[in-house]
Amino acid sequence: MGTPKNLAILGATGSIGSSTLDIVRRFPERYTIRSLTAGRNIERLALQIEEFRPALAVVQEEAGRDRLRSLLPGDLDIELLWGEDGLAAAAALPEVDMVVTGVVGAVGLMPTLAAIDAGKPIALANKETLVMAGEVVMARAAAAGVPILPVDSEHSAIFQCIGQHPRQEVDRLFLTASGGPFRTLAADRFDTIRPEDALKHPNWSMGAKITIDSATLMNKGLEFIEARHLFDMAPEKIQVLVHPQSIVHSMVGFVDGSVLAQLGIPDMKGPIAYALAYPDRLPLGLDYPDFTALANLTFEPPDLKRFPCLALAMDACAQGGTLPAVLNAANEIAVNAFLQRRIGFPDIYRVIASTMTRHGHQSRPNVEQIREADRLARTMAGEEIQKCNA
Ligand SMILES: NC(=O)c1ccc[n+]([C@@H]2O[C@H](COP(=O)([O-])OP(=O)(O)OC[C@H]3O[C@@H](n4cnc5c(N)ncnc54)[C@H](OP(=O)(O)O)[C@@H]3O)[C@@H](O)[C@H]2O)c1
């Protein structure tokens, strides 16, 4: 088996981070932790530090760093940092062999680039990075010879189905979607949806932002853009299919008309472990789907009228440039406002659509231009939220 792989886990206190640490706990001979990062959940991070003993820990704010220090034993040998520079340092730490990007949102971009520049393989859960800057990130990773292994279950499925097949044999990607909790809800009821309704995902247990994204189908839109970049696939060759049972995690169509699918129960430990151990498979002991109990596996086209966020993302993907970053930023602001009950569920779409309309599109942007577009979009989305309430 050799020496254990040293991991950096960005977003250790979140859903992906905690599932990753569950795997590390189960396979201590395979994995050790070198750096852990959190946002504001300092208490949880302190417990993780005591258990996994990283050399470096990072939190979002300086005050959080000070509080973390006060919670840890005084004689613990650990460096504590904060903010964006801290995240980049956690990703680029010399002894790290692989970086798991489990932070949520645009904050994932810079540490992912830092990991690439330091030559670290990446297990990528933070889809927002590829939505904002897919071309830049994939080009930089290719130039540095850094593998980016997908953690998103759909992209892991596609990655597994493609396997060793040459790129020219891959013709189409079928991206499955559960449809979320409002798959069958009538459009005229959407304005009655409250955050607590949208936070109840039928099949997956995840962080708040991605759960709301799943309810609007924006999550599938972000994944559409992610797939476009990860697999270098033209947008017209990616088809979204609503598959409420969440058993087929996605499929790949080949030039001879064959379709390969990857199936499993909905549990993120599967795709996380696949990225961590690639090309090996870990004995996770997860249950198989109970095929005899499944009455059927169904597939239907998404309803873009009731779920227009998906159409916005597909449009942003087709136009490219800074538009996907603007879509992403406006979505983050709008989802946050919805969770805080400042806007209604249908307003999420309105805020993103009007921000995208106002945005001055730039093609072939560099990282700084993408970050500037992200900043401007956040301001504009804030203004659009005010208009919703005027
Ligand atoms: N959850 C899933 O099953 C799943 C599946 C596929 C893909 N993904 C993707 O994986 C990513 C993480 O999702 P999640 O569900 O794990 O989210 P989550 O549970 O909300 O966790 C997010 C993590 O990011 C940290 N964080 C948030 N804002 C930060 C900031 N400004 N600076 C530093 N750290 C920050 C959080 O810290 P605190 O909690 O300490 O504040 C937490 O550790 C997302 O991009 C999501 O789309 C998730």
Side-chain angles (χ1 to χ4, degrees):
M1 187 163 302
T3 50
K5 206 180 251 184
N6 292 326
L7 301 179
I9 303 186
L10 312 185
T13 46
S15 163
I16 289 289
S18 303
S19 296
T20 307
L21 288 172
D22 284 345
I23 296 170
V24 172
R25 199 176 280 121
R26 284 237 347 244
F27 299 96
E29 69 293 352
R30 280 183 172 263
Y31 304 106
T32 56
I33 298 294
R34 301 304 296 174
S35 54
L36 291 177
T37 84
R40 297 198 166 121
N41 195 341
I42 309 299
E43 283 71 20
R44 187 162 196 180
L45 180 65
L47 292 174
Q48 293 175 340
I49 290 171
E50 295 216 42
E51 180 177 359
F52 293 100
R53 304 281 162 157
L56 170 64
V58 180
V59 298
Q60 194 170 330
E61 288 146 353
E62 191 172 12
R65 193 266 318 261
D66 298 343
R67 166 135 180 77
L68 180 60
R69 183 169 286 141
S70 75
L71 292 178
L72 295 174
D75 59 349
L76 196 68
D77 184 17
I78 184 168
E79 189 181 0
L80 303 181
L81 298 174
W82 62 277
E84 195 173 84
D85 292 346
L87 278 174
L93 204 64
E95 316 87 89
V96 162
D97 300 314
M98 176 176 251
V99 178
V100 180
T101 63
V103 288
V104 61
V107 71
L109 175 60
M110 297 315 278
T112 305
L113 290 173
I116 292 171
D117 292 344
K120 314 287 188 191
I122 296 166
L124 184 129
N126 177 259
K127 63 192 81 179
E128 292 88 349
T129 286
L130 288 185
V131 172
M132 292 174 76
E135 271 162 35
V136 174
V137 170
M138 293 310 288
R140 220 194 265 196
V146 167
I148 298 192
L149 298 153
V151 166
D152 234 329
S153 59
E154 295 78 359
H155 304 74
S156 176
I158 291 168
F159 183 66
Q160 294 180 51
C161 293
I162 292 177
Q164 298 305 314
H165 291 281
R167 172 65 187 81
Q168 66 272 19
E169 291 181 2
V170 178
D171 181 55
R172 200 161 294 244
L173 307 180
F174 299 96
L175 205 56
T176 56
S178 72
F182 311 124
R183 183 173 57 87
T184 56
L185 190 73
D188 61 4
R189 303 278 313 283
F190 274 38
D191 57 359
T192 66
I193 294 171
R194 300 160 304 165
E196 53 272 34
D197 307 318
L199 284 170
K200 280 186 210 138
H201 193 280
N203 303 341
W204 294 95
S205 154
M206 309 178 287
K209 191 245 175 193
I210 183 176
T211 307
I212 302 302
D213 286 348
S214 299
T216 60
L217 287 206
M218 177 58 91
N219 184 48
K220 212 46 55 181
L222 301 180
E223 289 178 3
F224 187 95
I225 304 172
E226 183 185 11
R228 191 252 177 288
H229 294 297
L230 266 178
F231 305 110
D232 187 23
M233 186 60 69
E236 60 276 14
K237 295 262 183 181
I238 307 173
Q239 185 180 354
V240 174
L241 293 171
V242 174
H243 166 53
Q245 298 82 16
S246 295
I247 294 293
V248 174
H249 295 314
S250 276
M251 302 181 274
V252 174
F254 292 88
V255 286
D256 61 355
S258 274
V259 178
L260 292 186
Q262 190 262 343
L263 284 68
I265 59 160
D267 187 325
M268 282 308 293
K269 284 205 266 309
I272 294 170
Y274 192 75
L276 291 184
Y278 180 78
D280 299 345
R281 285 184 185 270
L282 296 181
L284 291 178
L286 294 179
D287 289 336
Y288 296 112
D290 184 351
F291 290 106
T292 55
L294 284 166
N296 45 33
L297 297 178
T298 58
F299 302 91
E300 59 197 62
D303 181 344
L304 297 180
K305 287 213 169 67
R306 280 188 309 130
F307 297 100
C309 285
L310 174 55
L312 282 182
M314 288 169 160
D315 180 42
C317 186
Q319 293 200 49
T322 41
L323 204 55
V326 169
L327 166 102
N328 180 67
N331 181 53
E332 283 187 32
I333 297 293
V335 168
N336 199 31
F338 171 67
L339 283 169
Q340 294 173 351
R341 300 175 198 278
R342 290 190 284 124
I343 59 172
F345 188 80
D347 292 329
I348 297 176
Y349 162 76
R350 291 186 197 116
V351 168
I352 304 165
S354 9
T355 305
M356 284 170 70
T357 306
R358 283 175 60 186
H359 163 68
H361 181 260
Q362 236 176 330
S363 56
R364 303 202 156 277
N366 60 26
V367 174
E368 249 333 294
Q369 290 165 328
I370 290 169
R371 277 162 62 86
E372 181 58 15
D374 171 276
R375 276 190 287 272
L376 286 172
R378 283 168 199 272
T379 307
M380 281 188 232
E383 290 162 6
E384 295 304 321
I385 285 168
Q386 299 295 328
K387 288 184 203 163
C388 291
N389 297 321

